[in-house]
Amino acid sequence: MQVYLVGGAVRDHLLGHPYHEKDYVVVGATPAQLIALGYQPVGKDFPVFLHPISKEEYALARTERKSGQGYHGFEFFTDIDVSLEQDLIRRDLTINAIAMDEQGKIYDPYHGQADLDNKILRHVSHAFVEDPLRVLRIARFAARYHSYGFKVADETILLMQQLAASGELNALTSERVWKETSRALMEPHAEIYFETLRQCGALKVLFPEIDALFGIPQRPEYHPEVDCGIHTLMSLQQACRANYSLDVRFAVLLHDLGKALTPKAELPRHIMHEERGVAPVTLLSERLKVPTNTKQLAIAVCKEHLKTHQIFHLKAGTIWRLLQRLDVLRRPERVEAFIQACECDAKGRLGLENREYPQADFLRAAMHTVREIKASSLAVHVKGPDIGELLISKRIEAIAALRKQAEYPSP
């Protein structure tokens, strides 16, 4: 029996990239042998075992054969005669098809180290096209390793285009698409994930609402980058740069979907794009089955972000009602996430990436101010529904005073 560390741990070890999970492949063993050694079987489709002490995953070396549609449409075969090379060839990328034995010796039958050195994401074999999930995985790897200079090989892009055109992507479940996409959104360069999907034609299949933004013009005095799709990815890059949460990144990604629905006669203006965007944001979120809180923030940002940009031109009462709709009294964390998303939108513009955005500081201060005004702090004695009306009045007055004290522009 021979044990090898495989996959991402070896790749990241050689690259000097941090990693936490370790996966092992076992060559020349049977399930009975591993069970006798205390390993706990957990795999249903193929034999995977948990180490009796470390609880890390150990899988028997296996081959696979395409037997149906989608990423579940495979039959796996394990045998003591399956070699390490046979196991590695079924993997997606050459840089993921490297193994290391217990003495630290590297086994690299498909030249993954050369591709690591040359910063290339390249498929191992033509069997790549048998698994549509690999389109998303390669796009995610492109996002993760973009800062290292990695690019997807031209021949791999061609296979990804073939998969996107084949209809196989439609076999991916919503849960799986969201799992890969949510992981990609948390990469340092999440925008590369969507750029790569667009390059191979998968964005139009899986995210048609986002794909539709590319080629839609905006007014250059507000958007020097002009193209709505480019602005969306630049805004997402801002969210990654600030290391914002998944909810914020997703909201930024969808904030301008309404601009794809602007009548051509109105371009490059986008009147009422916020209201138009609510339907596609809701549709995409529900199709992917994203968490409720994630969807709610995305809808709020889509619907309200323009008000934040114009905050200094709004009346104090309008600002209070905006904060109220964001549930400021019960969920200040949502207001903070909303502010972060709006700032990414403001800075996701060509040449304006480092601009000041005082609207964020003001809305943040307004949030803290109104939350400090409670019934117990009122100096007057009122009862019943009058308390609520008085609280609203005091909060609006406080917002107006805040703007005056801070010398913000008046509406």
Side-chain angles (χ1 to χ4, degrees):
M1 184 174 84
Q2 296 170 301
V3 177
Y4 301 91
L5 181 66
V6 294
V10 180
R11 175 197 67 226
D12 289 342
H13 167 73
L14 294 173
L15 193 59
H17 186 80
Y19 63 92
H20 304 287
E21 295 183 0
K22 294 181 179 180
D23 293 310
Y24 297 86
V25 65
V26 182
V27 177
T30 65
Q33 286 176 306
L34 290 181
I35 292 172
L37 292 171
Y39 288 77
Q40 179 184 356
V42 294
K44 294 181 180 179
D45 297 326
F46 46 84
V48 176
F49 301 82
L50 298 182
H51 190 278
I53 298 175
S54 70
K55 304 303 179 183
E56 293 172 326
E57 287 192 358
Y58 286 68
L60 289 180
R62 62 188 185 268
T63 59
E64 62 187 28
R65 184 181 67 187
K66 183 74 169 174
S67 59
Q69 192 177 34
Y71 66 97
H72 280 311
F74 291 90
E75 293 180 1
F76 296 94
F77 303 92
T78 61
D79 188 87
I80 59 173
D81 293 327
V82 175
S83 68
L84 177 64
E85 289 75 12
Q86 287 175 305
D87 181 272
L88 293 177
I89 199 171
R90 67 180 177 80
R91 298 173 186 271
D92 49 10
L93 295 173
T94 59
I95 64 171
N96 296 331
I98 309 172
M100 184 168 65
D101 66 18
E102 294 171 297
Q103 288 72 45
K105 182 179 179 181
I106 296 295
Y107 295 82
D108 181 21
Y110 304 108
H111 313 295
Q113 290 183 97
D115 283 341
L116 277 177
D117 292 340
N118 294 316
K119 307 296 186 290
I120 296 174
L121 301 174
R122 190 195 316 274
H123 62 282
V124 179
S125 73
H126 193 76
F128 178 94
V129 298
E130 296 178 351
D131 185 357
L133 186 62
R134 288 176 170 175
V135 172
L136 299 182
R137 280 175 52 83
I138 272 57
R140 178 163 59 82
F141 284 131
R144 176 180 297 178
Y145 299 112
H146 178 73
S147 58
Y148 288 87
F150 275 84
K151 303 291 183 183
V152 183
D154 291 341
E155 59 268 33
T156 302
I157 286 290
L158 288 175
L159 293 186
M160 293 168 68
Q161 290 172 340
Q162 181 180 330
L163 264 172
S166 70
E168 279 272 312
L169 292 177
N170 295 319
L172 296 174
T173 65
S174 298
E175 291 84 358
R176 196 60 185 172
V177 174
W178 172 244
K179 182 178 180 179
E180 289 294 326
T181 301
S182 61
R183 292 178 69 184
L185 280 167
M186 294 309 295
E187 298 293 356
H189 284 276
E191 76 281 357
I192 300 300
Y193 175 76
F194 297 97
E195 282 186 10
T196 304
L197 292 181
R198 182 167 181 260
Q199 185 181 4
C200 71
L203 190 67
K204 188 173 184 177
V205 176
L206 297 173
F207 306 95
E209 300 89 349
I210 300 172
D211 186 73
L213 290 170
F214 289 90
I216 302 296
Q218 303 175 96
R219 294 172 67 180
E221 62 267 36
Y222 297 113
H223 288 275
E225 72 288 346
V226 179
D227 189 281
C228 289
I230 293 174
H231 163 64
T232 292
L233 297 189
M234 290 182 70
S235 299
L236 178 57
Q237 187 180 50
Q238 288 291 321
C240 297
R241 179 178 168 186
N243 198 26
Y244 286 149
S245 69
L246 171 64
D247 286 0
V248 171
R249 297 183 194 207
F250 184 69
V252 170
L253 178 68
L254 305 191
H255 79 279
D256 265 352
L257 291 190
K259 289 183 176 179
L261 302 177
T262 300
K264 289 185 178 180
E266 295 180 10
L267 295 176
R269 302 178 68 196
H270 291 277
I271 302 169
M272 295 181 64
H273 75 274
E274 312 97 290
E275 289 82 0
R276 287 194 183 104
V278 172
V281 169
T282 303
L283 179 65
L284 189 154
S285 299
E286 292 180 350
R287 186 175 71 246
L288 294 186
K289 300 179 181 178
V290 305
T292 300
N293 289 342
T294 308
K295 179 181 76 173
Q296 288 177 345
L297 179 65
I299 292 172
V301 171
C302 171
K303 193 173 182 179
E304 309 279 11
H305 66 273
L306 197 58
K307 294 183 181 67
T308 308
H309 300 336
Q310 300 171 341
I311 201 78
F312 300 133
H313 301 284
L314 301 180
K315 295 180 179 179
T318 304
I319 297 171
W320 159 246
R321 288 187 289 275
L322 169 62
L323 289 170
Q324 220 176 6
R325 289 193 296 274
L326 295 173
D327 207 0
V328 64
L329 300 181
R330 294 188 305 169
R331 302 178 65 181
E333 71 284 353
R334 176 190 274 188
V335 181
E336 176 60 31
F338 172 84
I339 293 169
Q340 292 172 354
C342 292
E343 185 165 13
C344 291
D345 172 33
K347 293 183 176 181
R349 310 178 190 214
L350 188 64
L352 302 175
E353 294 86 349
N354 298 309
R355 73 192 299 190
E356 295 294 324
Y357 191 66
Q359 293 93 327
D361 292 335
F362 175 74
L363 193 55
R364 198 172 281 123
M367 171 182 69
H368 295 308
T369 297
V370 300
R371 283 178 53 79
E372 290 174 355
I373 300 174
K374 303 175 183 178
S376 59
S377 65
L378 295 177
V380 295
H381 299 286
V382 292
K383 296 181 180 180
D386 292 338
I387 296 176
E389 292 299 322
L390 183 58
L391 282 171
I392 291 174
S393 176
K394 292 294 184 182
R395 286 164 180 155
I396 293 174
E397 289 176 8
I399 291 172
L402 176 68
R403 180 159 51 196
K404 186 176 182 180
Q405 293 166 6
E407 297 183 353
Y408 289 112
S410 297

